[in-house]
Amino acid sequence: MTTAPELAVTGSTGQLGGLVARLLAGAGSRQRLLVRDAARAPDLEGAVPVVTAYADPERTAEALAGAKTLFMVSAAEAEDRLQQHYAFIDAAAAAGVQHIVYTSFFGAAPDCTFTLGRDHFATEERIRASGMDYTFLRDNFYLDFLPLLAGDDGVIRGPAGDGVMAAVARSDVARSAVAVLRDPVLHVGRTYNLTGPEDISLARGAELLTAGTARTISFHNETLEEAYASRASYGAPPWQVDAWVSTYTAIAAGELAGPTPAVHELTGREPLSLEQFLAESHTL
């Protein structure tokens, strides 16, 4: 692995990691793509696929031998996700990785309302204790998810109340990550709260989605009891349902509110608003 690129990127077969990998390749950065299946790795100039998995520390240590900078996308939601993260971080440190850039969540804290945000905080703490340099990218709720919240009937249902969030486009998060990965020494020890340009409520989001798509979208503010009852039919485990519902209660609690200048600071560009995101999506 000594000839492999010193920059390692996870998640390249997914949405965010794939966008980061493509932007890095477009900028001329060599990278090794850590994937579970080499056949699914994107075919990019200067990119070398290396097979491993978060929960496989021995293979991870081999995959990261000689790597200096690591972009770690949080693992897929799972009951043991935190244990997967710990195994991967420990293996990265053992392999000699110098700097880890982790995609965390806005407002991550041991007691934040969004249940998975607590896992992100615990992951940050494990990274802090690892001895590696670090940079945390705390993404707000993705603008990309908003159109997907509406059911077939065009209604967004959740106990978000009048709460607002500074939702951010995934593309802005990717551009921010690339800025850090291209010159990581400038960002050692930094935490960036990545947001869109404005706070919006789900009621306002529904209005903008109606104006910017071919659908009529509305928001129904569920009670907690309604929220759990309406999701019971999916047969998901309790931790997953708690995560779904607490996405909305975190908005109601004001924990996703507050636009920041971080995207502009990192990329030199203003982040996309929901209106701009929808307009761009329709021109792609």
Side-chain angles (χ1 to χ4, degrees), residues 105-107 136-140 191-195 259-263:
F105 192 75
F106 190 91
F136 299 140
L137 304 177
R138 288 185 166 186
D139 315 341
N140 205 287
T191 297
Y192 294 102
N193 293 304
L194 303 178
T195 74
T260 75
V263 169

Side-chain angles (χ1 to χ4, degrees), residues 36 46 77 81 101 105 234 268 272:
R36 284 174 293 181
E77 293 179 9
R81 175 162 77 162
V101 179
F105 192 75
Y234 294 110
L272 295 174

